[in-house]
Amino acid sequence: MRDETIPTHCPYCALQCGMNLRGVRQPDAAGTAVEVVERPDFPVNRGALCGKGRTSPSLLSSRVRLTGPLIRSHATGRLEPATWEEALRTIADRLRRTREEHGADAVGVFGGGGLTNEKAYTLGKFARVVLGTSQIDYNGRFCMSSAAAAHGKAFGLDRGLPFPLEDIPRTGCVILVGSNLAETMPPALRYLTELKENGGKLIVIDPRRTKTAEQADLHLAPRPGTDLALALGLLHEVVAQGRTDEEFIATRTTGWADARAAAMAHWPELVERITGVGVPELREAVRLFCDAPSAMVLTARGPEQQSKGTDTVSAWINLCLATGRAGRPLSGYGCLTGQGNGQGGREHGQKADQLPGYRKLDDPAARAHVAEVWGVDPESLPGPGRSAYELLDALGGDVKSLLLMGSNPVVSAPHAAHIEGRLRSLDFLAVADVVLSETAALADVVLPVTQWAEESGTTTNLEGRVLLRRKAVDAPAGVHSDLEVLGALAGLLGHEKGFPADPEEVFEELRRASAGGLADYSGITYRRIAEEDGVFWPCPEKEGDPHPGTPRLFLDRFATPDGLARFVPVGHRPAAEEPDAEYPVLLTTGRVVAQYQSGAQTRRVDELNAAAPGPFVELHPQMAERLGVREGDPLAVVSRRGRATGPARITTGIRPDTVFMPFHWPGEGRVNTVTNPALDPTSRMPEFKVCAVRLEPADRGAVA
């Protein structure tokens, strides 16, 4: 590609920023490398890229990635080089043996929110058709499942943002809840900057004064785990001030009476005691939100990764509905998806309870439609399985063997030491990944697979815009695609047809499988995506003029049977684990700008490691003074589940009762050793964002 410039998309977060790749001759080696060139015409990022995007070609180097299969030697216990035939036959034989000895559900499949739509679709089909197992889920369950559940309850349809990003600067007020866009999605910060330049107001809700919160007109810093009470307190104040939109409530919603009664039990002074946010600040937030002619609420992992995350998001949606800020131009509730294909990854079948097109696995009509596309009997499809954490927790018990693609739960799962133990207890573990992650290092067989610039395929960004990544370079000779892997394994397990390696051929089948579903892709083609800078779903296939796609949902009706949005009555309840005498401090977790998710890829990029070399423990000066802690002192954060260590970072930008650790590192700095796996009863989201801890000097006894 040395003389070409190929348009594609960043391999990281759900913005899926546009970029161009250009070939460059390497002076010290044969062949061609690639460099990133701005793509200013792509509307999402308009050329802007963060450091991760700029350095993404580093991941293509054979120096940092897997280039051949590995099999664990019985003699040495180490992973040793193997041929592809040996590796694939070993996986097929072990999965077959597990099914024969223990039943189909003894085989598990675990996917990832970074897999393309084609891979996610094929992985779900492989699990249900070839393996016949119900035990499949993916790490996207840890991303926005609570928002998805609340979206479905209220609107009948879950798409992260029901409007394009370009609408954000044009609204009158944004409440941003539990998101630090400046570090998690830096190119998106311009939308908030433009909002303020246009006269709009920004309210940021976060227990830390992040770089994003510094941009706010109003920053509310609630105690971790109290976002639900805060949302209810704001709705109470809206009602008390007579600022509800009664016409909208009457004509476009149902269930208001019960939701109103629930909110009125959360009067401002009570909410102040629960959250630590003062009554004047609550009233100022209501004023800014309601004075604006249009407004939005955007949530991220802060309120969602809680054992009451679904109810918390429902409370924020109720605030939008009560004020008429949904289903109208430049208004609404939206979720800022995290992973690169976290949206599309759950739409097409790798989630425990879903079939392609957002169809429900327990819906007979949905099963019949998808089974016809797949050429199987609907009765042969298994029912819903376990959610992600429950599946990982079952490893070595009911689930004896696991095929894992594109995920690193040794670092990313809550109660991670326990999950690492469950992975070690498996009879057999096979991992397909780009790098030798901490999870791949535990496997019996490791398969090296292609990555973003070495393959084509579609992703769906946080707006619901279906995008096309294009192949720019050939993968190393010993590397195959995930689609090739699944096709080869299917053949070895008796299914020689139905699992093509060509991504466009897979997408054509995905179109048919999704047709008529909530996430209908049937009118989308590779050609249209390329010509239109992406196509928003739903986009059903039409005769004659093609469907234009749907950038803005719900303007005429919501996706419920009667077209009305549903209020969901909710009430505040404490976190699953509150501070006590033994564990008196609150811990919350998050990301830093130079690393991504479990860090399996970004920790292999020198420039990013130089910017963020390791974990740290962020605490307030008051807490530091009380404990006798100085900047840089080694600290241990200890919960009932284990401990994680890092140097102290002292800042006034965090609540005095709270500490923060980023979650990108393994080993002693692995904060997910500490986090709580308590699950939301609806979404099955673990409570990553709040747990009770104590602090200790890393080399001596407890101090708090």
Side-chain angles (χ1 to χ4, degrees), residues 4 14 32 96 205 261 280 413 417 477 490 570 582 622 625 630 675 701:
E4 296 180 81
T32 301
R96 182 187 295 110
I205 298 172
V570 294
E582 189 176 1
Q622 291 178 14
E625 182 178 5
R630 295 173 298 181
T675 51

Side-chain angles (χ1 to χ4, degrees), residues 127 169 364 534 655:
R655 288 176 55 95

Side-chain angles (χ1 to χ4, degrees), residues 462-681:
L462 75 173
E463 310 164 289
R465 187 193 300 254
V466 185
L467 304 167
L468 180 62
R469 290 184 186 166
R470 295 167 175 84
K471 180 178 178 180
V473 294
D474 292 329
V479 174
H480 293 176
S481 75
D482 297 270
L483 294 179
E484 289 173 326
V485 166
L486 292 170
L489 289 175
L492 290 170
L493 291 167
H495 294 258
E496 295 185 1
K497 294 183 179 180
F499 292 87
D502 176 43
E504 189 166 8
E505 187 177 345
V506 175
F507 190 79
E508 289 301 305
E509 182 178 300
L510 182 158
R511 292 175 61 206
R512 292 189 289 119
S514 73
L518 289 172
D520 191 333
Y521 282 31
S522 60
I524 304 175
T525 64
Y526 275 29
R527 178 189 59 78
R528 280 196 64 185
I529 297 171
E531 291 176 353
E532 300 173 30
D533 279 332
V535 180
F536 289 85
W537 71 263
C539 182
E541 189 170 32
K542 289 177 56 179
E543 293 185 9
D545 292 337
H547 189 284
T550 315
R552 296 169 181 86
L553 295 169
F554 313 139
L555 295 181
D556 299 317
R557 67 189 313 275
F558 295 96
T560 56
D562 59 9
L564 302 178
R566 270 61 168 150
F567 280 97
V568 177
V570 294
H572 175 71
R573 60 185 185 275
E577 185 177 78
E578 291 286 334
D580 57 23
E582 189 176 1
Y583 300 97
V585 177
L586 288 164
L587 169 71
T588 192
T589 66
R591 283 173 48 189
V592 296
V593 66
Q595 301 288 354
Y596 180 71
Q597 304 298 75
S598 76
Q601 294 173 319
T602 50
R603 285 186 275 112
R604 287 167 168 80
V605 179
D606 292 340
E607 180 179 330
L608 301 179
N609 275 335
F616 55 86
V617 181
E618 187 178 279
L619 70 163
H620 192 275
Q622 291 178 14
M623 185 182 292
E625 182 178 5
R626 181 166 57 84
L627 304 180
V629 173
R630 295 173 298 181
E631 181 77 13
D633 283 354
L635 274 180
V637 177
V638 184
S639 76
R640 291 174 173 84
R641 291 156 294 280
R643 59 187 264 148
T645 62
R649 183 174 293 182
I650 300 171
T651 173
T652 58
I654 190 168
R655 288 176 55 95
D657 58 1
T658 301
V659 295
F660 166 85
M661 284 191 73
F663 54 69
H664 310 290
W665 289 273
E668 293 184 355
R670 180 177 62 184
V671 72
N672 277 324
T673 299
V674 176
T675 51
N676 192 350
L679 300 180
D680 179 288

